[in-house]
Amino acid sequence: MILVTGGAGFIGSNFVLDWLATRDEPVLNLDALTYAGNRANLAALESDARHVFVHGDIGDRALLDRLLAEHRPRAIVHFAAESHVDRSIHGPGAFIKTNVEGTFTLLEAARAHWSALEGEAKARFRFHHVSTDEVYGSLAPDAQAFTEDHAYEPNSPYSASKAASDHLVRAWHHTYGLPVHTTNCSNNYGPFHFPEKLIPLMIVNALAGKPLPIYGDGMQVRDWLYVGDHCSAIREVLERGRVGETYNVGGWNEMPNREIVSQVCALLDELRPSPAGPYARLVTHVKDRPGHDRRYAIDARKIERELGWRPAETFASGIRKTVQWYLDHADWVAAVQSGSYRDWVARNYDKRSA
Ligand code: NAD
Ligand code: DAU
């Protein structure tokens, strides 16, 4: 089996669902169920014996040792993290705790487990670290997209904590020989995306007739990748990636935030027109994010050259599926908009005057 950490979050749950839909190898899913973890994402696996869910923390070494000894996974795919940049600005401590200390604890447990393996089991063990393009910092408008050799220049507490975790993973390979891969991916979107992030926030706010808050001038550029394509990239690297290597993963799809919001509004106008008029009427420019990175862009040629991976979805096809998913899953949306979600929205947006 494989051990997945953070498999109740956005990308992790998509990964677990896709994995079990395409192969029979069981998944041990370790997740602390923070505000971002949601067992409802995994409801389709409730009676599937191939999915073993454990509610626990990657910082709990005793738990990790017990799980590794009991289940003897052939690989660890490490998603668990605090992932939201705005939350890292309000409270960086949790990011250091999980992304840095938690990854350290997981690496140490993985090293002990792998060191005790022998023969074929030892040779094929892999630790796959899921990371972000944000570790490379911000690009000028005309600069080349990030390659794997780009210097690390993280600018937010979130990206600094992910950069630290990438460095730990690299060092555990270089010093101890732990067989690792790291993938650095751009912005994902798709089903089960928690509505604190740009795309799902815009969809749920628009449907509720609430303002669509664009930070600053909205001309910040991100590269967008459908989550299923990120999951297929991880599977490729896990099976065939070179040990010790990093691979950038992206959608070849750079777009400014204003354009993203405008496309979401246009799709909602088509699929769920509002009697009050076009959804774009709700767009509001609000105070910018402190330290806001202006542009990210991914050069994903290495993973294509070495492993033949390219995204299957275009932005047009992926965003249509995504908007339709939110329209079809109003219950999921209502359930995640709990008291703590409303507290977060108030905390992040109430002081951003238009
Ligand atoms: P998410 O916030 O939706 O989910 C994170 C999951 O990790 C949650 O289920 C949460 O409960 C769990 N978790 C948090 N702390 C934990 C701990 N201490 N122990 C065990 N579980 C814990 O995040 P996501 O968007 O799914 O991102 C997953 C990974 O992918 C992260 O490492 C993130 O840095 C990386 N990534 C995300 C994106 C993106 O666009 N969302 C892009 C590139 C890379
Ligand atoms: O690049 C990969 C990263 O993408 C991942 O590592 C992170 O985990 C993930 O959260 C995401 O980070 P971003 O900060 O780019 O995503 P977010 O959806 O928070 O914001 C996308 C852009 O939209 C960013 O420029 C900020 C802007 N934005 C965001 C929100 C929530 C707004 O203009 N208004 C908003 O309300």
Side-chain angles (χ1 to χ4, degrees), residues 251-303:
W252 299 105
N253 179 60
E254 280 185 62
M255 238 187 267
N257 295 336
R258 282 161 75 144
E259 176 60 22
I260 295 290
V261 175
S262 136
Q263 290 205 25
V264 167
C265 288
L267 270 170
L268 286 170
D269 288 337
E270 177 194 327
L271 299 169
R272 182 71 57 86
S274 162
Y279 288 102
R281 76 186 190 282
L282 298 169
V283 166
T284 321
H285 285 265
V286 300
K287 196 165 161 224
D288 209 349
R289 174 186 277 175
H292 199 170
D293 284 338
R294 198 69 185 161
R295 175 176 168 237
Y296 306 137
I298 281 277
D299 180 335
R301 281 180 296 180
K302 177 176 173 182
I303 188 172

Side-chain angles (χ1 to χ4, degrees), residues 5-13 29-38 41 54 56-60 78-84 94 97-99 102 129-134 158 162 165 183-189 192-194 196-197 223-225 227 230 234 249:
T5 71
F10 163 48
I11 307 173
S13 60
N29 185 349
L30 173 64
D31 196 296
L33 296 179
T34 67
Y35 78 92
N38 186 352
N41 299 1
V54 177
D57 197 306
I58 56 165
D60 182 345
H78 177 34
F79 293 95
E82 290 292 336
S83 70
H84 190 31
K97 191 97 199 131
T98 285
N99 301 0
H129 179 54
V130 181
S131 193
T132 169
D133 60 358
E134 300 203 7
Y158 163 68
K162 290 297 290 187
S165 68
T183 41
N184 293 88
C185 187
S186 57
N187 285 59
N188 287 211
Y189 65 96
F192 304 116
H193 205 182
F194 193 74
E196 62 184 355
K197 309 281 171 69
D223 171 74
W224 294 92
L225 180 71
V227 63
H230 187 187
I234 293 169
V249 181

Side-chain angles (χ1 to χ4, degrees), residues 4 15 44 95 109 135 160 229 311 341-342:
V4 169
F15 181 84
F95 290 71
V135 298
D229 281 324
Y341 174 77
R342 290 194 297 274

